[in-house]
Amino acid sequence: MVSQNFRDYLLTPDAPRILAARGVSVATYAERMLATEKARDLKAHWEAMLNETFRGITTDGNVQQRLFQRQDEGFAVEDAVTAASALLGTLSTSQRERVCRPIDDNAWRAWYNPEIPFNDLGIRLEDTATQTREVFWELLRTCTSDVGFEKIRQLMDANHFLGELYDLNNIMNRWSFHFMVFGEPSATAPWGWTIYGHHVAFCCFIVGRQLVIAPTFMGVEPNVIARGDDTDCVLFTEEERLGLKLMQSLNQEQQARATIFSQMEDPAMPPERFNFADQRHLGGAFQDNRIIPLEGICAAEFTPTQRAYLLETIESFINVLPDGPRAAKMAQVVRYLDDTWWCWIGGCGDNDVYYYRIQSPVIMLEFDHHSGMWLTNEAPARFHIHTIMRIPNGNDYGKALLNQESNT
């Protein structure tokens, strides 16, 4: 049985992964890691998918039409424009040239989640001035709820904490993330911005008073910040708790149908169902066009209590959105609740590890307990968590809305 104390699985100081990263620049570390066959093959695979024409995640290869419409969601766009313009004003000319991209640039889709720099797009926030970083917090604050702002700030700090554990803040710190802006910050025209790097990818598309945040990748290893001061916290407790509560609320027959694999690394899994980078996730980096069939059990047969638990679980993911956009997204989720599916991998006891996915025409959410990457646990553990939020049928990166804008 896996210990629940992450410190029992710390790498030794002479571990090859530590030695490859200690005391070197990010560029040198990237060069060393991308020389390995595993990383080289992964990069080639990702680049091939990036070069595909964007369609969006679907259940059968066919994009459902007319799901997403332009509307006033009450997003305070003027505040976001002010913050983004202020941030761009702190950059040098060369930095601005790297950061600023056309609204339809394919770099939207180039995000990744390992600590290894798989590309050099945009600028890394660690290479910017203190003033730029301070204004970045303001931009983040204008585009998130209070809960969302704190969650992302803590995730960036959790990356720093992991670096502290191994004296590797040269590779992993709270600012080791790429940043880009797409289009010109505007109260009316489409624009957006993104950050991505180890355990945080956050794609924010804005058009008028409407906001789309997707895809997101949020993860943590370990799931605690434990310095013994006021930064201490435990992350993803609600996504973990609420998903398990819903699964445990199902009767035995429903649980059996919801469970698509009983083991986290099940021998019954086909080869494409598990890989070392994403483990059980299907909507990870560069999976923008993946066909993901519906699995498990449909919410149309849930009891009112189970439907309420499902909505609670969904809201624990989308609570990063400000009030207006969050209410609009939840209304959309409710509209398609009878077309929403719930599936599960693993056990559903109080101490079990598990994966779950919520999938509807307008949202796809994934939660996974992972095995170790920077810790040595070979089996999945609750102290390594990855979560993903996608908008299927072509509205990741706000592209369905952007296409409407282009056609008017």
Side-chain angles (χ1 to χ4, degrees):
M1 182 176 176
V2 176
S3 164
Q4 294 307 306
N5 184 352
F6 77 88
R7 295 185 187 277
D8 292 336
Y9 301 95
L10 289 172
L11 293 167
T12 59
D14 61 349
R17 190 157 193 180
I18 301 293
L19 297 179
R22 177 153 294 148
V24 301
S25 69
V26 171
T28 298
Y29 176 67
E31 183 179 350
R32 289 177 177 177
M33 297 305 291
L34 292 175
T36 65
E37 182 178 4
K38 213 172 191 180
R40 190 170 59 247
D41 289 349
L42 180 61
K43 183 178 182 182
H45 179 55
W46 280 353
E47 287 176 346
M49 289 190 287
L50 180 61
N51 289 330
E52 296 174 354
T53 299
F54 176 84
R55 297 186 308 275
I57 287 173
T58 62
T59 60
D60 60 4
N62 297 305
V63 176
Q64 296 184 46
Q65 302 296 325
R66 295 183 292 278
L67 295 174
F68 310 103
Q69 304 298 325
R70 284 288 313 276
Q71 61 180 323
D72 184 341
E73 297 176 347
F75 174 61
V77 62
E78 294 83 3
D79 293 344
V81 169
T82 298
S85 300
L87 189 153
L88 292 174
T90 68
L91 302 178
S92 67
T93 300
S94 62
Q95 286 176 322
R96 283 179 65 109
E97 288 174 351
R98 291 186 61 81
V99 163
C100 295
R101 298 269 176 164
I103 185 60
D104 59 353
D105 196 283
N106 209 36
W108 270 115
R109 299 172 52 211
W111 62 272
Y112 61 80
N113 56 281
E115 85 293 339
I116 305 166
F118 276 84
N119 60 55
D120 61 355
L121 298 175
I123 55 172
R124 285 171 71 95
L125 289 170
E126 64 188 344
D127 295 329
T128 63
T130 300
Q131 183 185 11
T132 302
R133 301 175 194 177
E134 289 302 315
V135 180
F136 170 78
W137 290 136
E138 290 307 308
L139 176 59
L140 179 63
R141 194 185 302 276
T142 65
C143 295
T144 54
S145 64
D146 290 345
V147 169
F149 176 80
E150 186 66 7
K151 179 186 287 188
I152 296 163
R153 188 195 65 78
Q154 286 177 331
L155 288 174
M156 293 168 72
D157 190 39
N159 190 51
H160 195 96
F161 176 66
L162 178 58
E164 289 174 348
L165 289 174
Y166 294 122
D167 189 24
L168 292 179
N169 284 143
N170 56 314
I171 303 300
M172 295 179 289
N173 60 72
R174 66 178 55 85
W175 297 111
S176 54
F177 299 93
H178 299 254
F179 175 76
M180 285 181 281
V181 173
F182 298 87
E184 292 285 335
S186 167
T188 55
W191 65 285
W193 60 273
T194 184
I195 64 166
Y196 62 91
H198 190 217
H199 280 153
V200 179
F202 191 81
C203 301
C204 182
F205 173 86
I206 298 163
V207 55
R209 288 163 60 81
Q210 193 167 6
L211 171 68
V212 174
I213 298 179
T216 69
F217 181 104
M218 300 185 191
V220 68
E221 181 190 26
N223 69 321
V224 299
I225 299 174
R227 298 187 179 100
D229 59 24
D230 60 4
T231 66
D232 287 4
C233 61
V234 183
L235 295 156
F236 297 112
T237 56
E238 287 301 278
E239 296 91 334
E240 184 179 68
R241 180 183 68 83
L242 291 170
L244 183 59
K245 182 172 79 167
L246 170 56
M247 187 61 175
Q248 290 180 340
S249 76
L250 304 183
N251 63 42
Q252 197 168 37
E253 187 269 340
Q254 288 175 314
Q255 286 182 355
R257 283 192 290 128
T259 303
I260 55 176
F261 297 103
S262 60
Q263 299 177 52
M264 293 290 273
E265 297 183 23
D266 201 302
M269 289 178 176
E272 69 276 6
R273 191 58 186 78
F274 180 91
N275 67 73
F276 80 96
D278 287 323
Q279 298 197 13
R280 283 146 294 276
H281 279 309
L282 300 180
F286 302 93
Q287 301 290 340
D288 295 322
N289 294 330
R290 188 161 189 167
I291 295 173
I292 303 176
L294 299 171
E295 297 179 287
I297 185 171
C298 184
E301 65 177 89
F302 281 2
T303 67
T305 296
Q306 290 166 345
R307 288 163 75 94
Y309 289 169
L310 176 62
L311 290 173
E312 277 188 290
T313 307
I314 292 170
E315 188 147 18
S316 73
F317 282 76
I318 71 169
N319 62 9
V320 296
L321 287 160
D323 290 348
R326 184 171 69 254
K329 189 63 188 179
M330 284 303 295
Q332 189 181 60
V333 164
V334 170
R335 197 152 56 242
Y336 292 94
L337 199 60
D338 284 346
D339 299 314
T340 302
W341 287 70
W342 166 261
C343 67
W344 188 269
I345 296 174
C348 57
D350 289 347
N351 297 312
D352 283 335
V353 291
Y354 45 85
Y355 159 96
Y356 67 78
R357 183 170 82 251
I358 298 168
Q359 187 174 356
S360 89
V362 295
I363 199 164
M364 190 182 86
L365 308 172
E366 295 184 281
F367 176 98
D368 193 41
H369 288 124
H370 261 41
S371 54
M373 293 292 182
W374 282 95
L375 299 171
T376 63
N377 55 296
E378 294 184 359
R382 287 192 167 202
F383 47 71
H384 188 182
I385 294 172
H386 286 186
T387 69
I388 288 174
M389 177 165 62
R390 288 278 195 168
I391 301 181
N393 293 301
N395 206 34
D396 273 337
Y397 317 100
K399 283 187 174 290
L401 298 181
L402 180 61
N403 289 339
Q404 290 178 27
E405 191 77 10
S406 301
N407 293 330
T408 57

